[in-house]
Amino acid sequence: MEKVIIFDTTLRDGEQSPGASLTSEEKIKIAEQLERLGVDVIEAGFPMASEDDAKAVSLVGKRIKRSIVCALARCKDEDIEIALRSLETAAKPRLHIFLATSEIHRKYKLHKAKDEILKIAVEKASFAKKHIDDVEFSPEDASRTEPDFLLEVLKAVVSEGIKTVNIPDTVGYAIPSEYGSLIKYLKGNLPDNVVISVHCHNDLGLAVANSLEAVLNGARQVECTINGIGERAGNAALEEIIMNLVVRKDLYNLETNIMAKEIYRTSRMVSSLTGVPVQPNKAIIGENAFRHEAGIHQDGILKNRLTYEIMRPEMIGMPESKLVLGKHSGRHALKARIENLGFQLNEEQIDRVFDRFKKLADKKKEITDIDLIVLTEEEEIKIEEPTYTLEYFHIISGSSTIPSATVRIKKGDKIYEDASRGDGPVDALYKAINRVTGISPTLREYKIAAITGGQDAQGEVTLSLETEGLKIVGKGVSTDIIEASGKAYLNAINRYLVRKNLVRTKYKGD
Ligand code: KIV
Ligand code: ZN
């Protein structure tokens, strides 16, 4: 059966989501998970955009063995050279070069005529091909480019040896019928061995529909991101593309290398590390995606699941909320269960998760897979540098008292203690933490959610802090919501300490 190549750009276009920025260490964790997911190409960054992007591409290249690792560059010698240097570590490197071709971009952004654009495209394609075999070319804003000029540019770069041409709907303007026709036209006029790739943005909510229509018309590579994150309204969501191909195989009759069971885990990891939440009604991975509320639906499901269900949560690795371990389960059982959920932790990490598992089991009768995932994720996304951890806290609060908090916080071998009053218990806690860390960020968002049902559910706090122009997210989990709040706050501060030293000179200009 024919295959569709899955090109993931979570670490490049996805990272351009407002508020999402990832350290190199976080990019490596996501890249490893993308490889487990079975992604064919991982676009790891845009090395010219910042030193940190260049470093991340190089580190991802070093770590990833099965997937192709790709770096983006404008059609400029300097960009291409930096991208090539970053790719030196990769076992399977790909260079992705782009140049805008639409009239609006030619006239207002690049101030260049058609023939000049054509000349640059050919020159840079040829320059790139001299240094690396696998080169992809993207005519930016392709969907708004005159089709005959688009084809002329593509034919010219193909004659320089380029085998993958990507057709971006950069501003999310196309609709499925016209985008599909464009792909059909290009497919019919380019050599058979050229792979046509599609890259759709979601400004009109059509990124996935456009990508799938393109596939029906001959595209064989889809560029997408986990959870659909990306510039403005985002990119086509990988999980939606995959489950369309799986559920409607009768129609598409195409395969991918994606292990659908890894989708849920990848989605959670990307959301935790970027701080971009998943909307509850998001197709495939939203928390409501498999919930049936209406009585008529529930009745139908009980009689036969097929009445209202086109796919099962386990197809994407979404765990069931049922009891899996209890207070008396040992380390061995915990390790086996964690491995069964697809996590790969070392012995030290398992020890720490086991420790937290025992504490949780003291407070909570039933430990479900979702509880275990949350405990394990905390370990997985932990920042390795010496960071602040909450050792102890004490809160005084009530309707006729001024709330106050005392904290004991550890960093490396040092223990710090301090106290503060506040407008409420959480505010007092945060002010006491500020006194210890010497950082006083502004709390921009604060969200609390119960992870599992019941009165002893774990509470998950997600918050966003802003300090010195940096917006940082944090996450904390506990059966005690004040403790979860404190952990989330310290998690954000720890991330801030890692990030403030990053060189983030995002490029300006064409
Ligand atoms: O949306 C776009 O045009 C891009 C290109 C760089 C491929 O992201
Ligand atoms: Zn894009």
Side-chain angles (χ1 to χ4, degrees), residues 12-13 72 96 98 138 140-141 166 168-170 199 201 223:
R12 200 276 299 168
D13 225 344
L72 183 70
H96 179 189
F98 74 100
S138 282
E140 193 190 5
D141 206 16
N166 182 39
D169 180 28
T170 303
H199 176 114
H201 281 270
E223 302 198 354

Side-chain angles (χ1 to χ4, degrees), residues 7 41 68-71 87 92-96 134 136 164 221:
F7 177 118
V41 187
I68 292 172
V69 174
C70 176
L87 285 170
K92 295 185 193 168
R94 172 179 291 187
L95 177 69
H96 179 189
D134 190 352
E136 170 173 334
T164 304
Q221 175 175 287

Side-chain angles (χ1 to χ4, degrees), residues 22-256:
L22 296 162
T23 62
S24 308
E25 199 190 315
E26 290 166 340
K27 279 194 169 192
I28 293 170
K29 283 181 184 163
I30 294 178
E32 286 178 335
Q33 179 56 25
L34 290 173
E35 189 171 48
R36 270 195 289 277
L37 177 65
V39 157
D40 301 287
V41 187
I42 299 173
E43 188 163 52
F46 183 6
M48 187 61 194
S50 74
E51 271 178 40
D52 196 55
D53 258 41
K55 185 175 147 207
V57 171
S58 166
L59 293 171
V60 168
K62 209 180 217 170
R63 201 67 72 88
I64 297 300
K65 296 290 166 252
R66 287 195 308 277
S67 310
I68 292 172
V69 174
C70 176
L72 183 70
R74 289 171 297 180
C75 275
K76 290 178 183 254
D77 288 356
E78 201 196 352
D79 273 42
I80 295 176
E81 279 156 9
I82 291 183
L84 288 172
R85 236 175 290 139
S86 311
L87 285 170
E88 273 165 13
T89 49
K92 295 185 193 168
R94 172 179 291 187
L95 177 69
H96 179 189
I97 54 173
F98 74 100
L99 177 67
T101 49
S102 67
E103 191 186 0
I104 293 182
H105 282 236
R106 292 193 312 261
K107 197 163 159 189
Y108 298 105
K109 190 176 82 164
L110 300 175
H111 309 288
K112 298 218 184 308
K114 281 182 177 173
D115 56 343
E116 291 172 283
I117 296 288
L118 186 61
K119 186 163 171 273
I120 299 173
V122 170
E123 263 174 32
K124 300 311 164 201
S126 144
F127 175 68
K129 276 295 290 183
K130 283 198 184 90
H131 295 90
I132 179 169
D133 182 48
D134 190 352
V135 182
E136 170 173 334
F137 177 81
S138 282
E140 193 190 5
D141 206 16
S143 56
R144 291 196 298 172
T145 302
E146 304 87 323
D148 56 342
F149 178 56
L150 181 63
L151 181 62
E152 190 181 352
V153 174
L154 296 179
K155 278 187 168 168
V157 297
V158 164
S159 53
E160 295 304 320
I162 284 184
K163 302 231 173 49
T164 304
V165 292
N166 182 39
I167 314 301
D169 180 28
T170 303
V171 290
Y173 180 74
I175 64 164
S177 55
E178 70 182 345
Y179 193 62
S181 303
L182 176 64
I183 300 301
K184 190 173 186 175
Y185 166 68
L186 298 174
K187 179 82 191 154
N189 286 286
L190 287 168
D192 281 348
N193 64 342
V194 172
V195 176
I196 297 188
S197 166
V198 287
H199 176 114
C200 298
H201 281 270
N202 207 26
D203 299 67
L204 292 175
L206 293 172
V208 170
N210 282 335
S211 307
L212 292 168
E213 188 63 27
V215 166
L216 286 173
N217 282 283
R220 287 296 174 266
Q221 175 175 287
V222 176
E223 302 198 354
C224 43
T225 60
I226 302 297
N227 303 339
I229 63 169
E231 185 83 33
R232 307 181 309 277
N235 291 55
L238 179 145
E239 60 281 1
E240 295 179 25
I241 300 282
I242 297 303
M243 293 317 285
N244 269 277
L245 295 177
V246 170
V247 173
R248 297 308 313 270
K249 200 166 189 161
D250 58 321
L251 190 73
Y252 295 99
N253 204 22
L254 289 165
E255 277 191 336
T256 70

Side-chain angles (χ1 to χ4, degrees), residues 268 370-378 451 458 460 477:
R268 282 198 59 101
I370 300 174
D371 288 315
L372 282 186
I373 287 177
V374 171
L375 282 186
T376 313
E377 277 174 348
E378 262 197 292
I451 291 170
Q458 294 202 79
E460 182 175 59
V477 178

